[in-house]
Amino acid sequence: MGEAQKGLLSVIEKLKGSTEQEVRIVLLGLDNAGKTTLLKSLASEDVNTITPTQGFNIKSVASHGMKLNVWDIGGQRKIRPFWKKYLENTDLLIYVIDSADKKRFEETGLELSELIDEENLKGVPVLVFANKQDLETASPASEIAEGLNLHTYRDREWQIQACSAVSGEGVQDGMNWICNNIVNKKK
Amino acid sequence: MAEEDSEWIIESIVGYLGSPEWVIPVTDFMEHKCTVFDDEDENKLSYTEIHQQYKKLVEKLLENYMQEVGINEQQFLDACTSPFAKSQSLQDMFQPVLATDDFQVFRSLMVQKNMELQLQALRVIKEKNGALPECLTDGVDVMTELEQQEMKILEEVLKKSKEEYDEEMSRRLLSEKKTGSTSSRSSNKPNTEDDEAREATLTSKQSNSSKRTPDSGSSSIQCRVLPALRSPTKSSKSSNASSHQTVEQSDSREAAAEAYLEEAHREAGFSKPYTELLPSEQEQLQQRAAYLRQQRDKLHALKKEQQKIRQTAALEEPPASPTPAPTANSEISAEEKKKLQKRKHLADKLKEEVIKK
Ligand SMILES: Nc1nc2c(ncn2[C@@H]2O[C@H](COP(=O)(O)OP(=O)(O)OP(=O)(O)O)[C@@H](O)[C@H]2O)c(=O)[nH]1
Ligand SMILES: [Mg+2]
């Protein structure tokens, strides 16, 4: 993108005349991880009628005086190549994992490490939700963090948060981390 | 920068946003690309590609404009953030510009445009065949009387809109010749294109709607055009007239009817970003609602007129035969019938979205 275009976009941003801080969050993870469920529960919407996402969903959530624009993109294998089209200007990545789906831990780890290498996500903080903790077979967050080698990330803030998108447990803790982090980052 | 500078720059920008150099390419883009935009909650991947193209178009247009007028980005920015730019009518004009930066604004503009074209298409069919073919109307009997009335009003509105649209097309053609515009729009633009484009719209929309999962629609459809008609409100005509001058002027091409639909969509919370309203946005919405009420009043007046005419007509001639089917069938080829069948689905869908809601 050339200088001129960047300038124009900033002009257009100002046109909105909004003083509220807007934050762009991208929600990624394998299919069936619970991204859309998480998104809907963040927006206080019904989570019982969710079907696999073929495209993407957007919700704007007000939190800590900020407007969080959360983009949830389908996680099916055939949709993953499109993920990178949504990464530009992202302030934060939320990566969702089905903690009970041990068979796909490796696959989800690979996808995450590819994202981490994306130019557009350079230095962008990552929150990993170890979702579906309500299931008996769920692995604990610490174990998942180890499997993902999160502790080797040196170039960005990261956090792993155990949660259940269905019961809502842990979700707010994750959001608090996000808000504290974004505030620190942006000011 | 001096205030006066901002003032003339704003005036110039507003002039540009109402000029054919801007309106034609932007409207063309929207009309050609809007057909995939439905009002499902979930977005299709293809929307993103189209939004990118739109961004490029607008950026190019604005760059050209700034170059032409000889202002730089800083001046543009200063003007746009000056107090002059904060007025309501200007904010409305800026919607298509804002849509470059805000996907949700873009999406709601496109969904709205698609809906308009669908309704125009229905009207075109009706015009061609004298009336809606039977397969498009045989669901009518399940409509309440009230809904039928509303359908008639809608048709009236669309007719007006079409007339104004045609007018605008010929005006555009004129002004194009004058300015020797080099915009990239296809050359087969004149009036004949109208019908064809609508038909294309129909077919692609049809394929969309057939993909629609049965349970996915109900909660996400937020379009509420017609219920608004059911609750006539007291007129507030004069009080709002002045604040909407600019809107009405800029709208001359698709005019009152379209503005009404547009406002109705918005009033119904059609564009998501308005769900979390700032005070300024709330004021904006209130002004829109007032404008909408005005439009509604006009429509009610129109409706009364129509009823009078119908009553007079009813006195003069006996009611038309309720079963024109035999003649119609023999005139319509099998292939045409198939086409019409498809359109029935569309009509049903429109009824569902526009009338029932
Ligand atoms: N038990 C349990 N089930 C969950 C939880 N979160 C999501 N689910 C279920 O997991 C399934 C998939 O959830 P979705 O939200 O559709 O998953 P997704 O990540 O959006 O999937 P794609 O759209 O295909 O990428 C659904 O049946 C959810 O009800 C959770 O915390 N606990
Ligand atoms: Mg999903």
Side-chain angles (χ1 to χ4, degrees):
Chain A
M1 202 188 270
E3 279 308 310
Q5 281 173 323
K6 265 191 189 143
L8 260 185
L9 280 183
S10 77
V11 167
I12 290 164
E13 242 183 312
K14 293 250 168 73
L15 270 177
K16 279 196 206 170
S18 150
T19 49
E20 198 180 17
Q21 189 184 359
E22 287 199 33
V23 179
R24 180 185 169 100
I25 297 177
V26 179
L27 197 54
L28 296 173
L30 301 188
D31 50 295
N32 203 50
K35 298 179 294 296
T36 307
T37 309
L38 189 69
L39 181 77
K40 296 235 173 182
S41 79
L42 282 177
S44 313
E45 288 177 19
D46 177 29
V47 296
N48 293 312
T49 55
I50 294 167
T51 52
T53 308
Q54 308 302 324
F56 60 101
N57 298 292
I58 311 172
K59 302 266 176 232
S60 296
V61 185
S63 184
H64 297 68
M66 291 181 282
K67 185 176 173 193
L68 311 181
N69 297 317
V70 188
W71 296 59
D72 154 41
I73 298 135
Q76 288 171 41
R77 200 176 272 280
K78 64 170 195 279
I79 304 174
R80 288 178 216 162
F82 292 89
W83 284 359
K84 57 177 182 295
K85 292 184 190 277
Y86 296 85
L87 304 180
E88 212 178 313
N89 299 319
T90 294
D91 298 307
L92 186 124
L93 169 67
I94 299 180
Y95 196 78
V96 185
I97 292 173
D98 177 348
S99 308
D101 190 5
K102 295 196 176 66
K103 270 184 289 187
R104 296 209 290 169
F105 278 177
E106 193 183 333
E107 184 183 345
T108 198
L110 280 174
E111 293 292 351
L112 177 60
S113 64
E114 274 188 36
L115 283 170
I116 292 303
D117 289 340
E118 280 289 334
E119 184 63 27
N120 276 321
L121 290 181
K122 215 172 165 185
V124 169
V126 185
L127 170 65
V128 178
F129 268 124
N131 191 29
K132 305 201 186 181
Q133 290 294 323
D134 56 296
L135 298 178
E136 295 243 323
T137 52
S139 299
S142 55
E143 222 168 83
I144 292 172
E146 212 167 296
L148 296 175
N149 291 320
L150 286 181
H151 50 276
T152 64
Y153 290 8
R154 298 270 176 264
D155 57 344
R156 72 192 73 218
E157 304 285 331
W158 63 267
Q159 169 85 350
I160 186 160
Q161 174 67 51
C163 79
S164 165
V166 165
S167 76
E169 211 177 332
V171 173
Q172 204 45 54
D173 297 322
M175 296 317 285
N176 289 342
W177 181 83
I178 287 176
C179 291
N180 293 334
N181 233 272
I182 295 286
V183 170
N184 293 341
K185 267 236 116 97
K186 282 209 155 179
K187 283 190 178 161
Chain B
M1 182 168 52
E3 292 270 285
E4 315 86 69
D5 271 2
S6 285
E7 204 171 345
W8 81 254
I9 292 174
I10 280 287
E11 261 169 34
S12 155
I13 292 170
V14 167
Y16 178 65
L17 294 182
S19 75
E21 282 84 4
W22 166 268
V23 172
I24 290 175
V26 169
T27 310
D28 266 8
F29 182 93
M30 290 193 162
E31 287 181 352
H32 283 112
K33 307 280 183 173
C34 73
T35 54
V36 295
F37 284 77
D38 55 37
D39 57 1
E40 298 283 316
D41 205 21
E42 187 174 310
N43 301 289
K44 295 173 191 154
L45 293 170
S46 59
Y47 295 179
T48 304
E49 183 64 31
I50 296 172
H51 190 212
Q52 292 299 330
Q53 294 167 359
Y54 182 75
K55 270 187 207 175
K56 281 197 189 124
L57 171 71
V58 170
E59 276 165 8
K60 203 186 76 209
L61 288 172
L62 288 183
E63 266 167 40
N64 290 348
Y65 159 75
M66 286 194 289
Q67 223 169 20
E68 226 170 80
V69 195
I71 55 174
N72 59 36
E73 274 156 25
Q74 193 54 49
Q75 287 171 302
F76 188 89
L77 177 64
D78 289 345
C80 291
T81 50
S82 81
F84 303 108
K86 295 283 175 245
S87 84
Q88 195 41 61
S89 47
L90 290 190
Q91 290 290 307
D92 285 347
M93 286 201 91
F94 280 132
Q95 284 296 313
V97 183
L98 290 181
T100 56
D101 186 56
D102 190 326
F103 174 81
Q104 283 160 295
V105 171
F106 177 70
R107 186 198 130 118
S108 68
L109 287 179
M110 293 300 263
V111 170
Q112 204 175 293
K113 180 60 84 186
N114 191 14
M115 192 73 76
E116 284 163 25
L117 293 193
Q118 299 304 314
L119 292 167
Q120 279 186 21
L122 266 191
R123 230 200 53 74
V124 169
I125 293 171
K126 193 176 174 203
E127 202 166 73
K128 268 184 166 176
N129 298 10
L132 282 179
E134 203 179 330
C135 62
L136 276 176
T137 54
D138 62 2
V140 165
D141 49 2
V142 297
M143 285 200 280
T144 67
E145 205 193 324
L146 194 59
E147 283 167 344
Q148 288 190 40
Q149 277 184 351
E150 285 168 351
M151 193 61 174
K152 291 207 175 84
I153 296 168
L154 205 62
E155 282 166 13
E156 210 48 54
V157 170
L158 289 167
K159 195 164 138 201
K160 254 175 110 182
S161 160
K162 169 80 158 53
E163 281 161 15
E164 273 144 4
Y165 178 81
D166 287 344
E167 238 173 63
E168 169 65 11
M169 285 320 288
S170 45
R171 236 194 42 219
R172 278 189 205 173
L173 279 174
L174 261 179
S175 66
E176 244 193 340
K177 273 182 206 142
K178 268 190 231 149
T179 56
S181 162
T182 52
S183 74
S184 59
R185 49 201 287 274
S186 55
S187 53
N188 62 347
K189 197 65 195 168
N191 295 335
T192 51
E193 162 271 359
D194 199 5
D195 290 9
E196 273 146 35
R198 302 303 162 250
E199 293 203 27
T201 308
L202 276 170
T203 4
S204 59
K205 184 66 181 187
Q206 165 58 29
S207 60
N208 285 343
S209 58
S210 59
K211 264 188 284 174
R212 179 187 260 256
T213 50
D215 63 336
S216 61
S218 54
S219 65
S220 62
I221 296 169
Q222 297 185 23
C223 164
R224 291 164 176 261
V225 177
L226 283 163
L229 285 169
R230 286 185 191 147
S231 50
T233 26
K234 291 127 257 149
S235 164
S236 54
K237 259 171 203 158
S238 52
S239 59
N240 288 293
S242 60
S243 62
H244 287 287
Q245 245 169 18
T246 324
V247 178
E248 276 168 33
Q249 274 164 18
S250 70
D251 254 344
S252 66
R253 55 188 184 92
E254 272 146 303
E258 190 199 8
Y260 162 71
L261 287 171
E262 185 180 330
E263 298 307 306
H265 280 123
R266 288 197 193 155
E267 192 198 44
F270 198 73
S271 65
K272 306 244 163 61
Y274 296 106
T275 48
E276 293 153 25
L277 292 174
L278 298 170
S280 65
E281 287 169 323
Q282 276 170 351
E283 189 197 308
Q284 189 174 329
L285 207 65
Q286 271 163 15
Q287 290 192 16
R288 282 185 170 144
Y291 180 59
L292 179 69
R293 275 197 294 276
Q294 245 179 294
Q295 297 300 322
R296 216 181 278 159
D297 289 341
K298 281 185 200 163
L299 283 166
H300 275 283
L302 196 64
K303 183 176 116 186
K304 271 193 194 137
E305 242 175 69
Q306 289 297 311
Q307 273 174 345
K308 252 191 237 157
I309 294 169
R310 250 180 278 128
Q311 275 163 11
T312 337
L315 286 176
E316 280 165 15
E317 54 184 330
S321 159
T323 52
T327 34
N329 277 352
S330 59
E331 278 165 20
I332 296 174
S333 74
E335 199 179 294
E336 263 176 310
K337 237 180 180 175
K338 235 193 230 163
K339 258 199 225 163
L340 291 173
Q341 212 91 68
K342 279 188 179 176
R343 283 177 184 155
K344 180 182 175 350
H345 287 290
L346 169 69
D348 288 346
K349 190 170 171 243
L350 281 168
K351 259 183 252 157
E352 175 193 317
E353 291 184 0
V354 178
I355 297 165
K356 298 265 169 64
K357 285 280 139 184

PDB file of all heavy atoms in Angstrom, chain B residues 156-180:
ATOM      1  N   GLU B 156     -46.371   1.297  -5.985  1.00  0.00           N
ATOM      2  CA  GLU B 156     -46.471   2.706  -6.363  1.00  0.00           C
ATOM      3  C   GLU B 156     -45.133   3.401  -6.141  1.00  0.00           C
ATOM      4  O   GLU B 156     -44.635   4.123  -7.003  1.00  0.00           O
ATOM      5  CB  GLU B 156     -47.572   3.348  -5.499  1.00  0.00           C
ATOM      6  CG  GLU B 156     -48.297   4.476  -6.143  1.00  0.00           C
ATOM      7  CD  GLU B 156     -48.741   4.150  -7.545  1.00  0.00           C
ATOM      8  OE1 GLU B 156     -49.424   3.119  -7.758  1.00  0.00           O
ATOM      9  OE2 GLU B 156     -48.385   4.931  -8.441  1.00  0.00           O
ATOM     10  N   VAL B 157     -44.583   3.106  -4.992  1.00  0.00           N
ATOM     11  CA  VAL B 157     -43.294   3.702  -4.659  1.00  0.00           C
ATOM     12  C   VAL B 157     -42.251   3.310  -5.679  1.00  0.00           C
ATOM     13  O   VAL B 157     -41.462   4.119  -6.153  1.00  0.00           O
ATOM     14  CB  VAL B 157     -42.845   3.221  -3.263  1.00  0.00           C
ATOM     15  CG1 VAL B 157     -41.410   3.631  -3.003  1.00  0.00           C
ATOM     16  CG2 VAL B 157     -43.763   3.775  -2.199  1.00  0.00           C
ATOM     17  N   LEU B 158     -42.279   2.037  -6.038  1.00  0.00           N
ATOM     18  CA  LEU B 158     -41.275   1.538  -6.964  1.00  0.00           C
ATOM     19  C   LEU B 158     -41.467   2.144  -8.340  1.00  0.00           C
ATOM     20  O   LEU B 158     -40.504   2.410  -9.049  1.00  0.00           O
ATOM     21  CB  LEU B 158     -41.360   0.020  -7.032  1.00  0.00           C
ATOM     22  CG  LEU B 158     -40.866  -0.645  -5.760  1.00  0.00           C
ATOM     23  CD1 LEU B 158     -41.260  -2.103  -5.731  1.00  0.00           C
ATOM     24  CD2 LEU B 158     -39.369  -0.499  -5.635  1.00  0.00           C
ATOM     25  N   LYS B 159     -42.698   2.344  -8.709  1.00  0.00           N
ATOM     26  CA  LYS B 159     -42.964   2.935 -10.008  1.00  0.00           C
ATOM     27  C   LYS B 159     -42.346   4.328 -10.055  1.00  0.00           C
ATOM     28  O   LYS B 159     -41.657   4.677 -11.010  1.00  0.00           O
ATOM     29  CB  LYS B 159     -44.469   3.014 -10.238  1.00  0.00           C
ATOM     30  CG  LYS B 159     -44.841   3.276 -11.686  1.00  0.00           C
ATOM     31  CD  LYS B 159     -46.306   2.954 -11.908  1.00  0.00           C
ATOM     32  CE  LYS B 159     -46.987   3.976 -12.779  1.00  0.00           C
ATOM     33  NZ  LYS B 159     -48.438   3.963 -12.607  1.00  0.00           N
ATOM     34  N   LYS B 160     -42.578   5.059  -8.999  1.00  0.00           N
ATOM     35  CA  LYS B 160     -42.009   6.393  -8.924  1.00  0.00           C
ATOM     36  C   LYS B 160     -40.492   6.328  -9.017  1.00  0.00           C
ATOM     37  O   LYS B 160     -39.857   7.050  -9.769  1.00  0.00           O
ATOM     38  CB  LYS B 160     -42.391   7.044  -7.585  1.00  0.00           C
ATOM     39  CG  LYS B 160     -43.452   8.106  -7.729  1.00  0.00           C
ATOM     40  CD  LYS B 160     -43.847   8.608  -6.363  1.00  0.00           C
ATOM     41  CE  LYS B 160     -43.387  10.026  -6.082  1.00  0.00           C
ATOM     42  NZ  LYS B 160     -43.770  10.431  -4.711  1.00  0.00           N
ATOM     43  N   SER B 161     -39.966   5.428  -8.231  1.00  0.00           N
ATOM     44  CA  SER B 161     -38.528   5.267  -8.189  1.00  0.00           C
ATOM     45  C   SER B 161     -37.971   4.945  -9.560  1.00  0.00           C
ATOM     46  O   SER B 161     -36.947   5.449  -9.982  1.00  0.00           O
ATOM     47  CB  SER B 161     -38.183   4.190  -7.180  1.00  0.00           C
ATOM     48  OG  SER B 161     -36.901   3.701  -7.429  1.00  0.00           O
ATOM     49  N   LYS B 162     -38.685   4.092 -10.288  1.00  0.00           N
ATOM     50  CA  LYS B 162     -38.243   3.693 -11.611  1.00  0.00           C
ATOM     51  C   LYS B 162     -38.264   4.892 -12.565  1.00  0.00           C
ATOM     52  O   LYS B 162     -37.328   5.114 -13.326  1.00  0.00           O
ATOM     53  CB  LYS B 162     -39.164   2.586 -12.137  1.00  0.00           C
ATOM     54  CG  LYS B 162     -39.008   2.242 -13.610  1.00  0.00           C
ATOM     55  CD  LYS B 162     -37.813   1.334 -13.830  1.00  0.00           C
ATOM     56  CE  LYS B 162     -37.883   0.535 -15.126  1.00  0.00           C
ATOM     57  NZ  LYS B 162     -38.100   1.312 -16.314  1.00  0.00           N
ATOM     58  N   GLU B 163     -39.329   5.655 -12.493  1.00  0.00           N
ATOM     59  CA  GLU B 163     -39.416   6.829 -13.353  1.00  0.00           C
ATOM     60  C   GLU B 163     -38.243   7.759 -13.107  1.00  0.00           C
ATOM     61  O   GLU B 163     -37.581   8.229 -14.029  1.00  0.00           O
ATOM     62  CB  GLU B 163     -40.733   7.579 -13.082  1.00  0.00           C
ATOM     63  CG  GLU B 163     -41.940   6.946 -13.737  1.00  0.00           C
ATOM     64  CD  GLU B 163     -43.247   7.405 -13.090  1.00  0.00           C
ATOM     65  OE1 GLU B 163     -43.225   8.407 -12.352  1.00  0.00           O
ATOM     66  OE2 GLU B 163     -44.264   6.745 -13.330  1.00  0.00           O
ATOM     67  N   GLU B 164     -37.978   7.958 -11.835  1.00  0.00           N
ATOM     68  CA  GLU B 164     -36.897   8.867 -11.501  1.00  0.00           C
ATOM     69  C   GLU B 164     -35.556   8.286 -11.900  1.00  0.00           C
ATOM     70  O   GLU B 164     -34.649   8.994 -12.321  1.00  0.00           O
ATOM     71  CB  GLU B 164     -36.941   9.186 -10.005  1.00  0.00           C
ATOM     72  CG  GLU B 164     -37.846  10.343  -9.721  1.00  0.00           C
ATOM     73  CD  GLU B 164     -38.587  10.178  -8.416  1.00  0.00           C
ATOM     74  OE1 GLU B 164     -38.343   9.204  -7.690  1.00  0.00           O
ATOM     75  OE2 GLU B 164     -39.413  11.043  -8.141  1.00  0.00           O
ATOM     76  N   TYR B 165     -35.476   6.992 -11.766  1.00  0.00           N
ATOM     77  CA  TYR B 165     -34.265   6.302 -12.175  1.00  0.00           C
ATOM     78  C   TYR B 165     -34.022   6.488 -13.673  1.00  0.00           C
ATOM     79  O   TYR B 165     -32.932   6.836 -14.115  1.00  0.00           O
ATOM     80  CB  TYR B 165     -34.407   4.818 -11.834  1.00  0.00           C
ATOM     81  CG  TYR B 165     -33.241   3.956 -12.243  1.00  0.00           C
ATOM     82  CD1 TYR B 165     -32.082   3.882 -11.476  1.00  0.00           C
ATOM     83  CD2 TYR B 165     -33.316   3.205 -13.418  1.00  0.00           C
ATOM     84  CE1 TYR B 165     -31.020   3.087 -11.869  1.00  0.00           C
ATOM     85  CE2 TYR B 165     -32.252   2.407 -13.801  1.00  0.00           C
ATOM     86  CZ  TYR B 165     -31.105   2.352 -13.030  1.00  0.00           C
ATOM     87  OH  TYR B 165     -30.057   1.572 -13.407  1.00  0.00           O
ATOM     88  N   ASP B 166     -35.073   6.279 -14.450  1.00  0.00           N
ATOM     89  CA  ASP B 166     -34.943   6.439 -15.891  1.00  0.00           C
ATOM     90  C   ASP B 166     -34.552   7.868 -16.259  1.00  0.00           C
ATOM     91  O   ASP B 166     -33.689   8.101 -17.104  1.00  0.00           O
ATOM     92  CB  ASP B 166     -36.266   6.086 -16.588  1.00  0.00           C
ATOM     93  CG  ASP B 166     -36.515   4.599 -16.577  1.00  0.00           C
ATOM     94  OD1 ASP B 166     -35.546   3.841 -16.312  1.00  0.00           O
ATOM     95  OD2 ASP B 166     -37.647   4.181 -16.800  1.00  0.00           O
ATOM     96  N   GLU B 167     -35.192   8.786 -15.588  1.00  0.00           N
ATOM     97  CA  GLU B 167     -34.869  10.190 -15.808  1.00  0.00           C
ATOM     98  C   GLU B 167     -33.388  10.418 -15.579  1.00  0.00           C
ATOM     99  O   GLU B 167     -32.698  11.020 -16.389  1.00  0.00           O
ATOM    100  CB  GLU B 167     -35.649  11.040 -14.806  1.00  0.00           C
ATOM    101  CG  GLU B 167     -36.558  12.067 -15.427  1.00  0.00           C
ATOM    102  CD  GLU B 167     -37.393  12.704 -14.333  1.00  0.00           C
ATOM    103  OE1 GLU B 167     -36.801  13.350 -13.445  1.00  0.00           O
ATOM    104  OE2 GLU B 167     -38.630  12.524 -14.363  1.00  0.00           O
ATOM    105  N   GLU B 168     -32.955   9.888 -14.463  1.00  0.00           N
ATOM    106  CA  GLU B 168     -31.568  10.072 -14.089  1.00  0.00           C
ATOM    107  C   GLU B 168     -30.639   9.452 -15.123  1.00  0.00           C
ATOM    108  O   GLU B 168     -29.614  10.010 -15.478  1.00  0.00           O
ATOM    109  CB  GLU B 168     -31.323   9.469 -12.705  1.00  0.00           C
ATOM    110  CG  GLU B 168     -29.875   9.360 -12.304  1.00  0.00           C
ATOM    111  CD  GLU B 168     -29.190  10.709 -12.137  1.00  0.00           C
ATOM    112  OE1 GLU B 168     -29.883  11.755 -12.120  1.00  0.00           O
ATOM    113  OE2 GLU B 168     -27.960  10.715 -12.049  1.00  0.00           O
ATOM    114  N   MET B 169     -31.028   8.277 -15.607  1.00  0.00           N
ATOM    115  CA  MET B 169     -30.187   7.616 -16.599  1.00  0.00           C
ATOM    116  C   MET B 169     -30.023   8.500 -17.824  1.00  0.00           C
ATOM    117  O   MET B 169     -28.926   8.629 -18.357  1.00  0.00           O
ATOM    118  CB  MET B 169     -30.797   6.274 -17.020  1.00  0.00           C
ATOM    119  CG  MET B 169     -30.659   5.154 -16.000  1.00  0.00           C
ATOM    120  SD  MET B 169     -29.087   5.111 -15.160  1.00  0.00           S
ATOM    121  CE  MET B 169     -28.060   4.518 -16.498  1.00  0.00           C
ATOM    122  N   SER B 170     -31.108   9.076 -18.277  1.00  0.00           N
ATOM    123  CA  SER B 170     -30.987   9.893 -19.474  1.00  0.00           C
ATOM    124  C   SER B 170     -30.204  11.164 -19.153  1.00  0.00           C
ATOM    125  O   SER B 170     -29.431  11.646 -19.976  1.00  0.00           O
ATOM    126  CB  SER B 170     -32.365  10.222 -20.055  1.00  0.00           C
ATOM    127  OG  SER B 170     -33.232  10.620 -19.028  1.00  0.00           O
ATOM    128  N   ARG B 171     -30.378  11.640 -17.918  1.00  0.00           N
ATOM    129  CA  ARG B 171     -29.613  12.824 -17.539  1.00  0.00           C
ATOM    130  C   ARG B 171     -28.130  12.501 -17.497  1.00  0.00           C
ATOM    131  O   ARG B 171     -27.292  13.255 -17.966  1.00  0.00           O
ATOM    132  CB  ARG B 171     -30.079  13.321 -16.175  1.00  0.00           C
ATOM    133  CG  ARG B 171     -30.513  14.759 -16.227  1.00  0.00           C
ATOM    134  CD  ARG B 171     -30.654  15.377 -14.849  1.00  0.00           C
ATOM    135  NE  ARG B 171     -29.619  15.050 -13.920  1.00  0.00           N
ATOM    136  CZ  ARG B 171     -29.858  14.811 -12.631  1.00  0.00           C
ATOM    137  NH1 ARG B 171     -31.076  14.834 -12.174  1.00  0.00           N
ATOM    138  NH2 ARG B 171     -28.874  14.520 -11.817  1.00  0.00           N
ATOM    139  N   ARG B 172     -27.849  11.331 -16.949  1.00  0.00           N
ATOM    140  CA  ARG B 172     -26.445  10.900 -16.882  1.00  0.00           C
ATOM    141  C   ARG B 172     -25.845  10.800 -18.263  1.00  0.00           C
ATOM    142  O   ARG B 172     -24.740  11.226 -18.514  1.00  0.00           O
ATOM    143  CB  ARG B 172     -26.354   9.520 -16.240  1.00  0.00           C
ATOM    144  CG  ARG B 172     -26.382   9.551 -14.757  1.00  0.00           C
ATOM    145  CD  ARG B 172     -26.069   8.167 -14.305  1.00  0.00           C
ATOM    146  NE  ARG B 172     -26.607   7.914 -12.993  1.00  0.00           N
ATOM    147  CZ  ARG B 172     -26.578   6.725 -12.414  1.00  0.00           C
ATOM    148  NH1 ARG B 172     -26.059   5.694 -13.049  1.00  0.00           N
ATOM    149  NH2 ARG B 172     -27.063   6.553 -11.227  1.00  0.00           N
ATOM    150  N   LEU B 173     -26.607  10.230 -19.157  1.00  0.00           N
ATOM    151  CA  LEU B 173     -26.117  10.070 -20.513  1.00  0.00           C
ATOM    152  C   LEU B 173     -25.771  11.423 -21.090  1.00  0.00           C
ATOM    153  O   LEU B 173     -24.727  11.606 -21.712  1.00  0.00           O
ATOM    154  CB  LEU B 173     -27.189   9.396 -21.387  1.00  0.00           C
ATOM    155  CG  LEU B 173     -27.238   7.886 -21.240  1.00  0.00           C
ATOM    156  CD1 LEU B 173     -28.402   7.317 -22.024  1.00  0.00           C
ATOM    157  CD2 LEU B 173     -25.921   7.273 -21.701  1.00  0.00           C
ATOM    158  N   LEU B 174     -26.666  12.359 -20.873  1.00  0.00           N
ATOM    159  CA  LEU B 174     -26.447  13.711 -21.349  1.00  0.00           C
ATOM    160  C   LEU B 174     -25.155  14.280 -20.784  1.00  0.00           C
ATOM    161  O   LEU B 174     -24.267  14.700 -21.520  1.00  0.00           O
ATOM    162  CB  LEU B 174     -27.625  14.603 -20.932  1.00  0.00           C
ATOM    163  CG  LEU B 174     -28.672  14.838 -22.017  1.00  0.00           C
ATOM    164  CD1 LEU B 174     -29.787  15.710 -21.462  1.00  0.00           C
ATOM    165  CD2 LEU B 174     -28.023  15.486 -23.236  1.00  0.00           C
ATOM    166  N   SER B 175     -25.083  14.235 -19.467  1.00  0.00           N
ATOM    167  CA  SER B 175     -23.936  14.878 -18.831  1.00  0.00           C
ATOM    168  C   SER B 175     -22.657  14.140 -19.194  1.00  0.00           C
ATOM    169  O   SER B 175     -21.588  14.726 -19.236  1.00  0.00           O
ATOM    170  CB  SER B 175     -24.120  14.916 -17.315  1.00  0.00           C
ATOM    171  OG  SER B 175     -24.097  13.619 -16.807  1.00  0.00           O
ATOM    172  N   GLU B 176     -22.798  12.886 -19.458  1.00  0.00           N
ATOM    173  CA  GLU B 176     -21.617  12.133 -19.880  1.00  0.00           C
ATOM    174  C   GLU B 176     -21.109  12.635 -21.211  1.00  0.00           C
ATOM    175  O   GLU B 176     -19.928  12.818 -21.429  1.00  0.00           O
ATOM    176  CB  GLU B 176     -21.997  10.666 -20.016  1.00  0.00           C
ATOM    177  CG  GLU B 176     -21.266   9.795 -19.048  1.00  0.00           C
ATOM    178  CD  GLU B 176     -21.417   8.352 -19.430  1.00  0.00           C
ATOM    179  OE1 GLU B 176     -22.348   8.030 -20.175  1.00  0.00           O
ATOM    180  OE2 GLU B 176     -20.585   7.579 -18.969  1.00  0.00           O
ATOM    181  N   LYS B 177     -22.028  12.830 -22.119  1.00  0.00           N
ATOM    182  CA  LYS B 177     -21.644  13.338 -23.426  1.00  0.00           C
ATOM    183  C   LYS B 177     -20.966  14.686 -23.282  1.00  0.00           C
ATOM    184  O   LYS B 177     -19.961  14.969 -23.894  1.00  0.00           O
ATOM    185  CB  LYS B 177     -22.889  13.454 -24.315  1.00  0.00           C
ATOM    186  CG  LYS B 177     -23.202  12.161 -25.044  1.00  0.00           C
ATOM    187  CD  LYS B 177     -24.412  12.326 -25.947  1.00  0.00           C
ATOM    188  CE  LYS B 177     -25.107  10.997 -26.162  1.00  0.00           C
ATOM    189  NZ  LYS B 177     -26.557  11.140 -26.203  1.00  0.00           N
ATOM    190  N   LYS B 178     -21.563  15.497 -22.419  1.00  0.00           N
ATOM    191  CA  LYS B 178     -21.019  16.841 -22.227  1.00  0.00           C
ATOM    192  C   LYS B 178     -19.597  16.787 -21.703  1.00  0.00           C
ATOM    193  O   LYS B 178     -18.706  17.423 -22.223  1.00  0.00           O
ATOM    194  CB  LYS B 178     -21.905  17.627 -21.248  1.00  0.00           C
ATOM    195  CG  LYS B 178     -22.984  18.418 -21.941  1.00  0.00           C
ATOM    196  CD  LYS B 178     -23.639  19.363 -20.925  1.00  0.00           C
ATOM    197  CE  LYS B 178     -25.140  19.213 -20.957  1.00  0.00           C
ATOM    198  NZ  LYS B 178     -25.754  19.464 -19.662  1.00  0.00           N
ATOM    199  N   THR B 179     -19.413  16.014 -20.643  1.00  0.00           N
ATOM    200  CA  THR B 179     -18.100  16.013 -20.024  1.00  0.00           C
ATOM    201  C   THR B 179     -17.128  15.084 -20.719  1.00  0.00           C
ATOM    202  O   THR B 179     -15.953  15.084 -20.409  1.00  0.00           O
ATOM    203  CB  THR B 179     -18.199  15.577 -18.553  1.00  0.00           C
ATOM    204  OG1 THR B 179     -18.840  14.299 -18.522  1.00  0.00           O
ATOM    205  CG2 THR B 179     -18.975  16.553 -17.722  1.00  0.00           C
ATOM    206  N   GLY B 180     -17.616  14.299 -21.640  1.00  0.00           N
ATOM    207  CA  GLY B 180     -16.742  13.340 -22.314  1.00  0.00           C
ATOM    208  C   GLY B 180     -16.102  12.410 -21.310  1.00  0.00           C
ATOM    209  O   GLY B 180     -14.922  12.120 -21.375  1.00  0.00           O
TER     210      GLY B 180
END
